[in-house]
Amino acid sequence: MHIVVLLVIMFVGDILSSLPFDIIFRYVIPPFDWMYGGARITACIIVTYLIFHFYTDKFLHSKMDDFRIGRLHIKLIDVLYAVLLPAFVIGGFVIFGRPFLNDNLTHDVMSNIVIISLFRALKAGILEEILFHGD
């Protein structure tokens, strides 16, 4: 049951964080396309963390430390792993896959795809660590 609740928390965090950005970016056009996705994904991580914190405090009557989630300590090696893993996946796709070529894929479009892919990979890893770390 706990895993179902965590999946619901992840879904609700994604929805609650996306609504304000969908409204804001309907009227405000960012200078770079990836800024919308990056802002939305960052907000999703923060909102999901806050919902999970509320859930552990009010419903489970536990602290975040009980789930082995303490203060954020970013180490250089962690950043290196976070960047290298998606880079290896992209590199493997380019080397072994059959990348599609299209006249519409300009350098800007490709860089937006790579940046948003990195944000999404980080989001998946961070949320997985927050929600399922102690299970």
Side-chain angles (χ1 to χ4, degrees), residues 80-125:
L80 186 64
Y81 288 147
V83 171
L84 284 180
L85 181 62
F88 280 128
V89 171
I90 292 168
F93 178 74
V94 169
I95 292 169
F96 300 111
R98 292 190 56 193
F100 60 92
L101 298 175
N102 189 330
D103 293 337
N104 296 333
L105 291 178
T106 63
H107 179 24
D108 290 340
V109 171
M110 287 302 294
S111 55
N112 285 336
I113 290 171
V114 169
I115 291 170
I116 292 300
S117 297
L118 289 173
F119 272 117
R120 288 186 179 179
L122 289 172
K123 172 189 166 191

Side-chain angles (χ1 to χ4, degrees), residues 6-19 40 43-49 51 123 127:
L6 295 178
L7 290 173
V8 168
I9 288 173
M10 191 166 55
F11 178 73
V12 169
D14 201 16
I15 296 295
L16 288 178
S17 64
S18 68
L19 290 176
R40 214 176 141 194
C44 178
I45 293 169
I46 293 168
V47 169
T48 304
Y49 174 83
I51 293 171
K123 172 189 166 191
L127 290 183

Side-chain angles (χ1 to χ4, degrees), residues 18-30:
S18 68
L19 290 176
F21 284 98
D22 289 344
I23 293 169
I24 291 169
F25 284 112
R26 180 176 293 160
Y27 301 107
V28 177
I29 298 173

Side-chain angles (χ1 to χ4, degrees), residues 25-77:
F25 284 112
R26 180 176 293 160
Y27 301 107
V28 177
I29 298 173
F32 302 104
D33 291 338
W34 60 265
M35 290 179 134
Y36 166 75
R40 214 176 141 194
I41 289 169
T42 303
C44 178
I45 293 169
I46 293 168
V47 169
T48 304
Y49 174 83
L50 293 173
I51 293 171
F52 181 69
H53 189 279
F54 179 78
Y55 171 69
T56 57
D57 187 42
K58 301 299 179 189
F59 291 96
L60 299 179
H61 304 292
S62 299
K63 296 180 180 179
M64 295 295 275
D65 290 335
D66 296 339
F67 293 89
R68 294 183 278 160
I69 300 173
R71 292 187 166 251
L72 180 65
H73 298 287
I74 299 176
K75 300 175 188 168
L76 180 60
I77 191 73

